[in-house]
Amino acid sequence: MIDVRNVKKIYKIGQNVLNALDGVSLTIEEGEFCCIVGRSGSGKSTLLNLMAGLEPVSSGQIIIANKHVEKMNERELILFRQQNVGFVFQSYNLIPSMTALENTALPLTFRGVKKSVRLKAAREMLEAVGVGSHYKHKPSQMSGGQQQRVGLARALVLNPKIVFADEPTGNLDSKTSSEMMTLITRIMHERNQTFVMVTHDPTMAQYADKVVHILDGKITSIEKNEHPMQFEAPAAREA
Ligand code: ADP
């Protein structure tokens, strides 16, 4: 699904040159949960942004679903992201004046889907992530965990092939974080979606199929996790 080949990213700040990514290669299979772990400043967010086509590479190739992302122009990138990619952010990035339902429906608005259809789809998505009863709430009327569930619903409402998440549990306590991770892994498995997450928290790696360690812009190791933490059982889900 994702093939990153010898990617470099150089930032020039005045006289200084910073190798934020220094020859990174990895592959991520369809339906796989890949966790990219490394301490702050190691290049994780840069790698995620390059894979999502949010920033251009300095050199190397990024091939997603057989398409070269690094060759796309701005218009092609916008279309590519709309058709293939969902995002979950650390700070949720919900629009404060909008309800949970309106926030979730937003990607459908950009796609020109008719109002009744998008509100129905958004309502179903909110149900699926466990905040269906909060659809009229504004972000300030919800807990961090609930807001992140809405963030997840918004990322998933277009049924993207790939979901990218940058520290999605970074603002959540440990109990809410593990609830969020079990929810995400269950939904990704059910829909066979590819999930790429970056985090500085090594405990998050237990949920992943593949764990990529990154340090100073280089991959130091890639581990396959044969027994990732199981997503919650159906009985637990109904409780
Ligand atoms: P991480 O996500 O692991 O914390 P980042 O990918 O954000 O790390 O950053 C990697 C390195 O690149 C850091 O040294 C950071 O300061 C630098 N960097 C990131 N974005 C920019 C930018 N837009 N301009 C200059 N330097 C940047």
Side-chain angles (χ1 to χ4, degrees):
M1 176 58 77
I2 303 177
D3 191 357
V4 176
R5 294 184 189 164
N6 197 21
V7 161
K8 298 187 182 176
K9 180 69 183 179
I10 298 166
Y11 289 114
K12 292 198 181 88
I13 310 152
Q15 302 279 317
N16 295 327
V17 173
L18 183 101
N19 292 307
L21 289 178
D22 195 8
V24 166
S25 300
L26 80 144
T27 55
I28 302 171
E29 309 300 327
E30 184 176 2
E32 196 168 50
F33 172 8
C34 176
C35 189
I36 298 163
V37 189
R39 62 184 185 218
S40 177
S42 55
K44 307 181 296 292
S45 301
T46 303
L47 179 55
L48 200 76
N49 291 344
L50 297 186
M51 285 195 274
L54 293 170
E55 277 185 72
V57 302
S58 299
S59 64
Q61 298 173 316
I62 296 181
I63 302 148
I64 298 188
N66 301 318
K67 294 202 181 74
H68 278 265
V69 174
E70 85 282 357
K71 289 185 184 155
M72 292 180 193
N73 63 31
E74 208 48 49
R75 255 179 80 94
E76 290 167 331
L77 281 170
I78 290 169
L79 203 64
F80 165 80
R81 282 196 296 266
Q82 263 189 16
Q83 290 172 345
N84 296 285
V85 175
F87 289 96
V88 182
F89 304 92
Q90 175 172 357
S91 49
Y92 325 129
N93 287 14
L94 302 176
I95 295 178
S97 60
M98 287 186 170
T99 64
L101 189 68
E102 289 162 347
N103 267 292
T104 305
L106 208 53
L108 296 161
T109 312
F110 293 138
R111 223 191 228 190
V113 176
K114 141 174 148 187
K115 190 170 181 189
S116 60
V117 175
R118 58 181 199 248
L119 292 183
K120 184 169 178 286
R123 189 78 190 267
E124 284 169 4
M125 209 56 246
L126 286 171
E127 293 284 346
V129 299
V131 283
S133 59
H134 286 63
Y135 74 101
K136 282 186 181 164
H137 287 58
K138 300 224 169 115
S140 63
Q141 298 166 323
M142 289 184 282
S143 69
Q146 288 165 339
Q147 289 183 63
Q148 193 57 299
R149 283 172 191 255
V150 177
L152 180 62
R154 182 189 51 194
L156 295 176
V157 76
L158 289 176
N159 201 19
K161 292 192 189 77
I162 305 167
V163 176
F164 289 111
D166 195 343
E167 301 273 6
T169 60
N171 287 342
L172 305 176
D173 62 55
S174 61
K175 181 169 176 285
T176 313
S177 293
S178 59
E179 283 169 4
M180 183 56 61
M181 290 314 301
T182 44
L183 172 70
I184 292 178
T185 47
R186 173 169 64 77
I187 292 184
M188 297 296 137
H189 276 277
E190 280 172 4
R191 300 167 147 227
N192 196 34
Q193 280 161 318
T194 308
F195 182 49
V196 187
M197 162 175 165
V198 309
T199 179
H200 69 278
D201 181 355
T203 63
M204 292 300 144
Q206 63 190 317
Y207 297 93
D209 302 304
K210 184 181 276 174
V211 186
V212 176
H213 294 271
I214 182 164
L215 180 69
D216 296 337
K218 290 195 172 89
I219 291 177
T220 53
S221 66
I222 300 179
E223 298 157 40
K224 275 265 196 183
N225 196 355
E226 297 302 334
H227 301 288
M229 184 98 124
Q230 280 301 304
F231 37 95
E232 57 196 311
R237 229 184 286 162
E238 274 148 33

